[in-house]
Amino acid sequence: MVEMDAIATKNHHQTFNVSTDMQQRGGSKCFDDDGRPKRTGTVWTASAHIITAVIGSGVLSLAWAIAQLGWVAGPVIMVLFSVITYYTSILLSDCYRTGDPVTGKRNYTYMDAIHSNFGGSGFKVKLCGLVQYVNLFGVAIGYTIASSISMMAIERSNCFHKSGGKNPCHMNSNMYMISFGIVEIVFSQIPGFDQLWWLSIVAAVMSFTYSTIGLGLGIGKVIENGSVGGTLTGISIGTVTQTDKFWRTMQALGDIAFAYSYSFVLIEIQDTVKSPPSESKTMRKATFISVAVTTAFYMLCGCFGYAAFGDSSPGNLLTGFGFYNPYWLLDIANAAIVIHLIGSYQVCCQPIFAFIEKNVAQRFPDSSFVNKEIEIPLLGFHPYKLNLFRLVWRTILVIVNTVISMLLPFFNDIGGLIGALGFWPLTVYFPVEMYIIQKGMPKWSPKWMCLQMLSFACLLMTVGAAAGSIAGIIIDLQTCKPFNTNY
């Protein structure tokens, strides 16, 4: 319940006293051991949150990523990323409570866990905060771009259908990004994660919808072709230059990393889970379910997409117009993408919202603009509590995000860069280092060495993926006109 940090700051000392009493009594029917209202999350709600955060627009670029890597390296690297993500997520979930995994002090956010394990406000804590929130902001940009492309794809598929494929149906993405931004301004007023469960479930259902449609169309295309496309080593030199092959391979790693990104919101999701059993046990199950389901969908969608189109696999399977018919099914798939991304956007932005609101509330504890809540009656529902600061600041953030998306509307390149920049520090390095501290692991012990080798290997992949994505962005910028990029 991330949003509670901002709301409860003014009553911090009262909460602390209640928390102490609750810990002595082992909690109550209405409150948890920290004095906050009883958490109600389960394995299934946590799984829905994770699937919403993971199965996003990244799935649509996997056919392109496998096309760069080939039939051998593509699936192997995808499985490798899933194993690494699952393992480091388990390490991170053990850091939700500092000390004892059952009764230790709760860490409400990823940053709280960093602060508890590294102590104070040192360089590592500040670096983690910078990387996490920049990455979350970048993911929201990626989702804005992806949603606009899907909205355009709906209009373009209808245009292609009416013209019989004769009209190129070019259009500008700005209107669609602005429309998506307006919707997100409305949904951003949902205070926090615990009130997002229904949106996450809807988004998770939508992710399965469009992934299944993409898979079905891929299978249909393979059957229509009568053969399996692609090669063992991916797109060949000659079709692209040797330099392009290298950079595309690196960018493909970033795209796969982007498709598995969710560790930066794992602690926030874990803070919605009820206990007993311990939160870490619940998250182990939720993480296994989510990563297993995600990997199965990713393998099927990516591999069948590559099998259908081979080296010419589009950067976005459902909007790159590898498929034109049935156009109505493409419309359903792209509508599902947009609905899913509305939810994913909120899952990614809630930690940013909570962080800023918590710090501003601490700095201005007596400000009515920051702390006062105005009750607005809703017919048939509980009154909505409007906070003016939340309204203004969240609206500004969504507007800034939308403007940047309009300036850099490159789905594959931005996705690859975001995935690269967030993978090593947030998914691997900090979880590994916190786990080592949490368990008091001796330096140079066999397990310590193995964890450090894992971290270093992932660092090398991150550097390569970031370089490949930056090279792609530089190439795209040569033909891009700000606010005037047409598809």
Side-chain angles (χ1 to χ4, degrees):
M1 296 168 65
V2 184
E3 79 287 352
M4 292 296 291
D5 286 336
I7 297 172
T9 303
K10 194 172 181 180
N11 300 316
H12 172 73
H13 297 295
Q14 293 174 347
T15 301
F16 176 78
N17 293 334
V18 173
S19 172
T20 304
D21 293 339
M22 291 300 167
Q23 287 175 347
Q24 291 173 351
R25 296 197 302 267
S28 75
K29 291 183 179 180
C30 299
F31 296 93
D32 277 325
D33 56 0
D34 60 346
R36 295 188 173 188
K38 204 80 171 175
R39 292 159 176 83
T40 58
T42 64
V43 169
W44 301 111
T45 60
S47 297
H49 282 312
I50 294 172
I51 290 172
T52 299
V54 181
I55 301 183
S57 53
V59 68
L60 302 173
S61 65
L62 292 178
W64 181 90
I66 293 179
Q68 313 314 309
L69 300 167
W71 278 118
V72 177
V76 169
I77 289 175
M78 202 178 298
V79 171
L80 179 64
F81 269 93
S82 71
V83 171
I84 292 172
T85 301
Y86 171 70
Y87 180 67
T88 56
S89 295
I90 294 303
L91 302 185
L92 182 57
S93 67
D94 283 345
C95 300
Y96 171 66
R97 288 182 182 266
T98 301
D100 191 278
V102 177
T103 61
K105 173 184 170 292
R106 294 174 185 265
N107 296 304
Y108 303 118
T109 68
Y110 194 109
M111 277 298 296
D112 286 344
I114 292 289
H115 193 275
S116 294
N117 285 280
F118 291 109
S121 56
F123 174 74
K124 284 187 177 180
V125 176
K126 293 177 180 177
L127 177 63
C128 173
L130 178 64
V131 172
Q132 182 191 11
Y133 296 120
V134 168
N135 188 263
L136 286 168
F137 186 76
V139 170
I141 291 173
Y143 287 164
T144 303
I145 296 168
S147 66
S148 70
I149 293 174
S150 288
M151 285 187 275
M152 284 191 297
I154 294 172
E155 186 173 341
R156 290 185 72 193
S157 69
N158 292 322
C159 175
F160 278 127
H161 178 71
K162 290 177 181 177
S163 67
K166 296 177 182 178
N167 188 339
C169 302
H170 292 304
M171 58 192 65
N172 192 279
S173 62
N174 291 344
M175 180 183 70
Y176 300 96
M177 290 190 189
I178 293 171
S179 300
F180 184 79
I182 291 171
V183 172
E184 291 302 345
I185 287 173
V186 174
F187 278 101
S188 69
Q189 296 310 307
I190 297 174
F193 264 125
D194 69 322
Q195 296 174 43
L196 275 175
W197 63 268
W198 62 271
L199 188 58
S200 286
I201 290 174
V202 170
V205 171
M206 293 298 104
S207 69
F208 286 123
T209 299
Y210 68 73
S211 296
T212 302
I213 292 173
L215 171 61
L217 290 173
I219 293 172
K221 188 72 173 177
V222 171
I223 294 172
E224 179 187 329
N225 294 340
S227 62
V228 174
T231 61
L232 294 179
T233 56
I235 192 167
S236 58
I237 296 172
T239 305
V240 295
T241 65
Q242 188 169 357
T243 303
D244 284 343
K245 169 72 174 177
F246 175 76
W247 290 125
R248 281 172 170 237
T249 300
M250 292 298 101
Q251 186 182 333
L253 296 179
D255 284 338
I256 295 174
F258 177 60
Y260 277 102
S261 298
Y262 82 96
S263 295
F264 42 74
V265 292
L266 185 141
I267 295 291
E268 285 82 348
I269 292 172
Q270 190 168 352
D271 192 46
T272 68
V273 172
K274 65 182 179 182
S275 62
S278 68
E279 298 85 1
S280 60
K281 287 184 179 179
T282 300
M283 286 304 292
R284 280 173 182 263
K285 294 178 182 177
T287 300
F288 178 79
I289 292 169
S290 305
V291 173
V293 170
T294 298
T295 302
F297 266 89
Y298 282 3
M299 290 292 285
L300 290 170
C301 291
C303 290
F304 271 104
Y306 182 42
F309 298 105
D311 290 350
S312 60
S313 296
N316 187 316
L317 191 60
L318 291 174
T319 64
F321 287 90
F323 304 111
Y324 293 92
N325 287 299
Y327 76 98
W328 56 268
L329 191 59
L330 286 171
D331 289 352
I332 292 173
N334 281 296
I337 292 172
V338 174
I339 295 170
H340 174 257
L341 292 179
I342 289 171
S344 295
Y345 188 103
Q346 290 303 316
V347 168
C348 290
C349 284
Q350 285 296 333
I352 305 177
F353 295 154
F355 174 75
I356 295 297
E357 287 157 20
K358 173 185 175 181
N359 283 277
V360 171
Q362 288 176 340
R363 182 171 289 244
F364 304 102
D366 300 320
S367 170
S368 58
F369 175 72
V370 172
N371 296 294
K372 184 179 178 180
E373 292 185 336
I374 303 167
E375 288 198 355
I376 299 176
L378 297 175
L379 188 63
F381 296 93
H382 292 294
Y384 175 73
K385 295 181 179 179
L386 175 67
N387 178 279
L388 293 178
F389 174 71
R390 184 171 67 219
L391 174 65
V392 173
W393 123 256
R394 293 189 181 191
T395 299
I396 291 173
L397 181 74
V398 174
I399 291 172
V400 171
N401 187 286
T402 304
V403 170
I404 294 175
S405 301
M406 292 160 66
L407 283 168
L408 299 170
F410 319 128
F411 173 69
N412 267 46
D413 299 330
I414 294 295
L417 181 60
I418 293 166
L421 294 179
F423 178 70
W424 176 71
L426 298 177
T427 301
V428 181
Y429 175 74
F430 284 115
V432 164
E433 293 299 315
M434 284 194 289
Y435 182 79
I436 289 172
I437 294 170
Q438 182 94 333
K439 300 299 181 183
M441 197 176 296
K443 200 171 184 180
W444 306 113
S445 65
K447 189 169 184 179
W448 184 92
M449 288 288 292
C450 289
L451 289 173
Q452 295 301 331
M453 288 170 63
L454 170 66
S455 182
F456 181 71
C458 291
L459 172 61
L460 295 180
M461 285 194 292
T462 288
V463 171
S469 299
I470 290 171
I473 290 174
I474 291 172
I475 292 170
D476 284 338
L477 282 173
Q478 294 173 359
T479 57
C480 171
K481 295 180 180 179
F483 304 109
N484 196 32
T485 300
N486 293 317
Y487 290 86

